[in-house]
Amino acid sequence: MTHSLDGIDFYQMGQICLGHTVRRTANLLTRHFNRYLAPYGLEITQAQLLAVIASGDSLSSSDIARYIGIDRSTLARNLKPLESAGLIARRKSGGRKVVPVLTEKGVELTAELHAAWEKAQRDLTQELGEETAEAIRGHLSALRKTVRRLEKTDPDKNAPPGNTALRSTSS
């Protein structure tokens, strides 16, 4: 079967695609926060990890990954340099559960990172306006809830029949 690309407006597809828009925005926001955190040698993902660990909730790696919205292998890659830098350690917490905890050095750095994060957040919120910032958080929350609901549906039910060449070669 031969398909034609005639009549498909790929520019418009990129303009209206929620996935593309959110990814572009996330990349831009990451750069914004990373500029403020650069003096500490960490990026926003690592700062978020330290903040979650600092919460004191004794979360497992699975809990942390789920909370931040990353997979466990990405979490492991991000925890490794924090542990190597002496910012976190792993501690047993009931049974076989091992949780990351901040070291003294980690506590000090996390407090400094929080101040830098607050400045980045404040600058962004002031530029947007509090009402707009709150609306964005609300819309993104609705988007996440919708995607979670859709994830529970049968993906084959909504997928058009198509070429599986990429899927079969990537395994």
Side-chain angles (χ1 to χ4, degrees):
M1 179 186 288
T2 303
H3 294 286
S4 172
L5 299 179
D6 294 339
I8 300 173
D9 186 345
F10 289 104
Y11 178 75
Q12 187 223 16
M13 179 181 157
Q15 294 294 74
I16 66 169
C17 177
L18 290 171
H20 178 68
T21 300
V22 170
R23 182 174 299 279
R24 285 178 56 212
T25 304
N27 289 338
L28 191 59
L29 280 170
T30 296
R31 285 197 313 268
H32 169 77
F33 282 95
N34 285 350
R35 270 187 323 118
Y36 288 77
L37 299 171
Y40 304 97
L42 296 177
E43 295 184 345
I44 188 64
T45 304
Q46 294 163 320
Q48 287 175 323
L49 283 173
L50 291 172
V52 170
I53 295 166
S55 73
D57 289 337
S58 295
L59 298 173
S60 69
S61 292
S62 295
D63 294 332
I64 293 171
R66 196 172 17 265
Y67 177 77
I68 292 181
I70 59 177
D71 60 51
R72 285 191 57 182
S73 63
T74 301
L75 176 66
R77 281 192 308 276
N78 280 282
L79 287 175
K80 219 170 258 183
L82 298 176
E83 193 169 16
S84 296
L87 301 173
I88 65 168
R90 297 181 192 259
R91 179 178 299 149
K92 280 197 173 236
S93 173
R96 295 177 11 171
K97 185 177 175 182
V98 177
V99 298
V101 294
L102 294 179
T103 63
E104 189 174 317
K105 182 179 177 183
V107 169
E108 289 176 26
L109 182 62
T110 302
E112 292 176 30
L113 289 171
H114 183 261
W117 170 85
E118 275 187 320
K119 172 98 172 88
Q121 181 73 11
R122 186 174 49 251
D123 289 354
L124 190 56
T125 301
Q126 284 176 347
E127 194 69 27
L128 283 169
E130 187 59 51
E131 192 173 304
T132 300
E134 190 57 39
I136 291 168
R137 283 188 287 273
H139 290 303
L140 290 174
S141 175
L143 180 60
R144 286 189 304 274
K145 287 176 186 171
T146 301
V147 171
R148 285 186 191 113
R149 270 195 313 275
L150 289 171
E151 284 179 335
K152 294 177 183 174
T153 64
D154 180 7
D156 293 331
K157 180 178 87 173
N158 298 324
N163 188 338
T164 59
L166 288 178
R167 282 183 264 155
S168 63
T169 60
S170 64
S171 50

